[in-house]
Amino acid sequence: GIQVEQSPPDLILQEGANSTLRCNFSDSVNNLQWFHQNPWGQLINLFYIPSGTKQNGRLSATTVATERYSLLYISSSQTTDSGVYFCVVGETSGSRLTFGEGTQLTVNP
Amino acid sequence: NAGVTQTPKFRVLKTGQSMTLLCAQDMNHEYMYWYRQDPGMGLRLIHYSVGEGTTAKGEVPDGYNVSRLKKQNFLLGLESAAPSQTSVYFCASSYRPGLAGYEQFFGPGTRLTVL
């Protein structure tokens, strides 16, 4: 099956800093989503972005499907950004999603 | 719209007991999914359904059964719970995959502990 690698696995920031999270995948996809899992376990859908670039407030994401990677940008980070960020992909040949291992983000005040 | 809802939110079982988790969606999605999440890990697919009356195995199906009698509901059953099934269970739904892909929408999760 498709392999999904996220980097870095852990990231510690001071409030106000910017960061970039990366997701590499091993095969062509027709679904790519970024989720934020907050400390209470809730999964929050950030972006549905199988290709192209999207922005939502301080967050933006870019997927370059032909090169098999996606980037999530967080600007002016806040303590409420803390949690785990998951990259999730769906293979073009199938209908199931595969989760990456996640990036654990901690934003300190 | 309520989106994807899950019942119950929490449950504690003893080894050998059975239970059913209910997932409901009001978005008229064809596809529904059950995942489990163990501590420090991403979600893994247990079973999924591509339409009413159909189910298929995912990555970790052993010990679970599912049913999709109505389009809006997807049930996950544990016939004889084991401590290894202690986990957080997430349900999701999506439209049929097409050229534009298929965004999945997740429920809030059910935290299950098996003693």
Side-chain angles (χ1 to χ4, degrees), chain A residues 22-95:
Chain A
R22 186 176 180 102
C23 172
N24 293 332
F25 43 94
S26 61
D27 207 343
S28 61
V29 299
N30 65 354
N31 180 335
L32 192 145
Q33 295 179 241
W34 283 97
F35 287 93
H36 174 213
Q37 188 166 40
N38 62 24
W40 296 270
Q42 187 181 13
L43 277 172
I44 300 163
N45 194 344
L46 299 177
F47 293 104
Y48 171 67
I49 188 166
S51 64
T53 297
K54 290 185 177 180
Q55 181 160 6
N56 184 3
R58 297 180 296 104
L59 275 61
S60 64
T62 295
T63 297
V64 184
T66 53
E67 297 186 20
R68 299 182 182 171
Y69 74 89
S70 183
L71 302 174
L72 177 68
Y73 306 95
I74 304 174
S75 64
S76 304
S77 58
Q78 301 175 357
T79 57
T80 52
D81 294 332
S82 295
V84 182
Y85 289 79
F86 287 106
C87 170
V88 187
V89 303
E91 298 173 66
T92 302
S93 60
S95 60

Side-chain angles (χ1 to χ4, degrees), chain A residues 30-31 33 35 37 40-43 45 47-48 50 86 88-91 94-101, chain B residues 31 33 35 37 40-43 45 48 50 57-59 90 97-98 100-106 108 111:
Chain A
N30 65 354
N31 180 335
Q33 295 179 241
F35 287 93
Q37 188 166 40
W40 296 270
Q42 187 181 13
L43 277 172
N45 194 344
F47 293 104
Y48 171 67
F86 287 106
V88 187
V89 303
E91 298 173 66
S95 60
R96 300 185 286 177
L97 294 186
T98 301
F99 278 69
E101 291 299 309
Chain B
Y31 282 51
Y33 315 79
Y35 296 87
Q37 184 180 31
M41 297 179 65
L43 280 67
L45 183 65
Y48 65 103
V50 303
K57 294 180 179 180
E59 183 184 355
F90 287 94
Y102 51 103
E103 182 177 5
Q104 287 196 10
F105 297 84
F106 282 79
R111 189 173 297 273

